[in-house]
Amino acid sequence: MLNKLVNEYRVFNNYPKGMRILLITNLIYSLVLPIIEMFIGAYIMRNSHEAKLVVIFQLALYSGIPLTFAINGFLLRKIKIAWLYSFGMLLSGVSMSAMMMLHELDATGIGVAGLIMGLSYGFFWANRDFLALETTDDNNRNYYYGLESFFYTLTGVIVPYVVGVFIGATDEHHWFGGNTNMAYRIVTASVFLLTIISSIVVHRGNFVNPKQERFLYFRFHVLWRKMLGLASLKGLAQGYIVTAPAMLIMKLVGNEDVLGTVQAIGAIFSAIVLYLIGRMAKPKHRIYIFSFGLLLFATGSFINAGLYSSLGVILFMLCLVMARPLLDVAYFPIQLKVIDTVAAIEKRNQFTYILNHELGLYVGRLIGCGLFILMATYIGEDFALKYALVIIGLLQLLSIFVAQNIIKSKY
């Protein structure tokens, strides 16, 4: 076993330094993402008991991302990319602190906190995507995203379990006078510490800013327009992937401890599978990995709607925990390959496509989150929690045909 780990370490060291630094940075920050994604929703549900407010937070977050992508493009002309990347990570702690400072959770306060988190995500993902594009090529991207997904899935085992048990124990054993919100504040402080460490690590890489060229365009090659369609379909489910577990657990089960435990159990198996996929899968396998992930998500949504119980939530989360990284490990290499291809054809800055891709995602996110808010407002939260997921799951299956068409395109 030790020899195998040493061998894997040697394999890792054979890759370029920039790619390795980026992976280590993302490993540390991956300890933060499960807290943001799982427990902010749980915090809102605990203190407001309104699922709609969780989706409002997510919609505000998504609204901040494309705006920040554009701002980031201009700032890259004067500021080093590593500094903007660090700033994005640190802002996530600021957003959580703003949430904890609210005396009463209402749509306005939650919207502001969500917008700050959107700024954080915008700086983080805009620069992360560009650095991933610059430090990898099509031959090593399966390994890169396989290892990164392995990190995210592994931390998705450890972090939700530890944080969930901590918050649950605070409630059960009356730590801090039984003030569960104090436990959330301690978790927020931990987020700040981790973002500082990851910000230090990223500065060890000699990353170069993109060329100072025009990056705002409105007309694109037909291949890129297909990629935008795929991005919009991906965006449909993103709000639900993040918020649905917390909303369903807090509504049907009612405890952060369960939220963390279920997330951890489901992620153990997928962590191992994903690493193996990253090591062994070839570019030709991406469509099969992608299709299986989409089918898992759709299956989970039907199970949730059919049972709509604690068992249904657990089965849905197990499907989701496996589906999400499968989709990512296939989708991102497809996206970067298209960017490489279209940037060469149109002779444009690669950041052009990173920014435009975010707008494609936002269209899907707006439709997906808007669907839930409309259903919850005019029909009822239970109806929305049951059937919005089913609708999104079915629509997402169209992505299989779009992705297959993109992969088979010859230009």
Side-chain angles (χ1 to χ4, degrees):
M1 181 65 178
L2 180 61
N3 289 335
K4 289 183 179 180
L5 291 174
V6 170
N7 182 60
E8 291 303 322
Y9 179 71
R10 287 173 181 161
V11 170
F12 176 76
N13 275 334
N14 286 332
Y15 287 98
K17 180 183 177 182
M19 176 177 163
R20 287 183 280 123
I21 291 294
L22 189 60
L23 279 168
I24 294 169
T25 301
N26 292 343
L27 167 61
I28 299 169
Y29 193 67
S30 69
L31 296 168
V32 172
L33 289 175
I35 299 173
I36 295 172
E37 295 182 352
M38 299 297 295
F39 291 98
I40 286 184
Y43 178 83
I44 295 171
M45 285 293 290
R46 173 179 281 277
N47 288 277
S48 71
H49 306 289
E50 289 189 51
K52 186 167 65 175
L53 290 181
V54 180
V55 181
I56 288 173
F57 174 86
Q58 205 64 34
L59 187 56
L61 183 157
Y62 288 142
S63 297
I65 294 176
L67 173 64
T68 313
F69 264 63
I71 294 171
N72 184 78
F74 290 108
L75 292 177
L76 281 171
R77 296 176 177 177
K78 296 183 178 292
I79 302 173
K80 289 184 177 181
I81 191 168
W83 285 106
L84 293 172
Y85 196 35
S86 299
F87 182 62
M89 290 186 283
L90 292 169
L91 266 182
S92 58
V94 174
S95 174
M96 289 189 68
S97 298
M99 178 79 74
M100 301 301 144
M101 291 168 59
L102 293 173
H103 296 295
E104 182 179 346
L105 296 184
D106 57 19
T108 302
I110 286 173
V112 171
L115 187 60
I116 296 172
M117 189 63 78
L119 299 178
S120 166
Y121 273 34
F123 283 116
F124 174 75
W125 285 104
N127 296 299
R128 173 197 171 281
D129 286 353
F130 177 78
L131 291 176
L133 189 65
E134 285 293 294
T135 58
T136 64
D137 57 47
D138 197 51
N139 292 321
N140 60 28
R141 280 172 187 157
N142 271 29
Y143 177 82
Y144 175 89
Y145 283 108
L147 186 57
E148 189 178 68
S149 296
F150 172 76
F151 289 159
Y152 287 161
T153 307
L154 193 62
T155 56
V157 174
I158 299 168
V159 175
Y161 179 76
V162 172
V163 174
V165 168
F166 174 60
I167 295 172
T170 300
D171 194 25
E172 183 179 349
H173 300 296
H174 298 284
W175 296 346
F176 316 115
N179 185 359
T180 307
N181 286 343
M182 179 57 70
Y184 275 102
R185 293 188 183 100
I186 292 172
V187 170
T188 300
S190 302
V191 167
F192 258 123
L193 178 62
L194 290 168
T195 57
I196 290 170
I197 295 171
S198 58
S199 297
I200 292 170
V201 172
V202 76
H203 287 282
R204 295 182 60 194
N206 296 317
F207 299 120
V208 179
N209 285 33
K211 294 178 181 179
Q212 295 184 16
E213 300 173 350
R214 177 185 170 189
F215 59 87
L216 286 175
Y217 292 89
F218 300 98
R219 290 177 176 270
F220 291 93
H221 192 276
V222 63
L223 178 59
W224 184 249
R225 294 200 296 271
K226 293 177 184 178
M227 189 67 223
L228 288 181
L230 188 62
S232 296
L233 288 168
K234 176 182 173 68
L236 280 173
Q238 282 193 330
Y240 294 96
I241 285 174
V242 174
T243 59
M247 291 189 293
L248 290 167
I249 286 286
M250 296 302 289
K251 191 172 185 67
L252 298 175
V253 184
N255 192 295
E256 289 92 345
D257 190 1
V258 176
L259 176 63
T261 302
V262 173
Q263 181 78 4
I265 291 172
I268 291 172
F269 177 70
S270 61
I272 299 168
V273 171
L274 283 168
Y275 184 73
L276 294 174
I277 288 173
R279 285 278 276 120
M280 296 186 292
K282 305 298 181 186
K284 65 182 180 180
H285 298 133
R286 288 169 187 163
I287 189 64
Y288 304 110
I289 298 168
F290 192 59
S291 301
F292 186 59
L294 290 168
L295 289 168
L296 267 178
F297 180 85
T299 300
S301 69
F302 274 100
I303 291 172
N304 173 68
L307 298 178
Y308 199 61
S309 63
S310 55
L311 176 61
V313 174
I314 291 170
L315 293 175
F316 167 71
M317 285 188 65
L318 291 176
C319 289
L320 184 59
V321 165
M322 190 65 191
R324 184 178 181 185
L326 284 173
L327 292 171
D328 286 347
V329 81
Y331 180 90
F332 287 123
I334 293 171
Q335 174 197 347
L336 297 189
K337 177 65 175 176
V338 173
I339 290 176
D340 284 339
T341 302
V342 180
I345 293 172
E346 298 188 319
K347 295 180 172 52
R348 293 176 181 174
N349 187 338
Q350 290 171 319
F351 188 78
T352 296
Y353 304 98
I354 293 173
L355 169 61
N356 197 252
H357 177 264
E358 193 58 36
L359 294 174
L361 287 173
Y362 181 65
V363 170
R365 291 162 175 168
L366 186 65
I367 294 170
C369 291
L371 174 67
F372 182 90
I373 292 171
L374 288 172
M375 281 186 169
T377 302
Y378 294 106
I379 304 176
E381 280 191 0
D382 286 333
F383 185 89
L385 285 168
K386 280 184 181 181
Y387 299 112
L389 281 168
V390 172
I391 294 170
I392 296 301
L394 289 173
L395 287 174
Q396 279 237 294
L397 293 178
L398 296 173
S399 300
I400 297 173
F401 305 103
V402 179
Q404 192 170 33
N405 186 270
I406 289 171
I407 292 169
K408 289 183 176 180
S409 296
K410 302 294 181 182
Y411 294 96

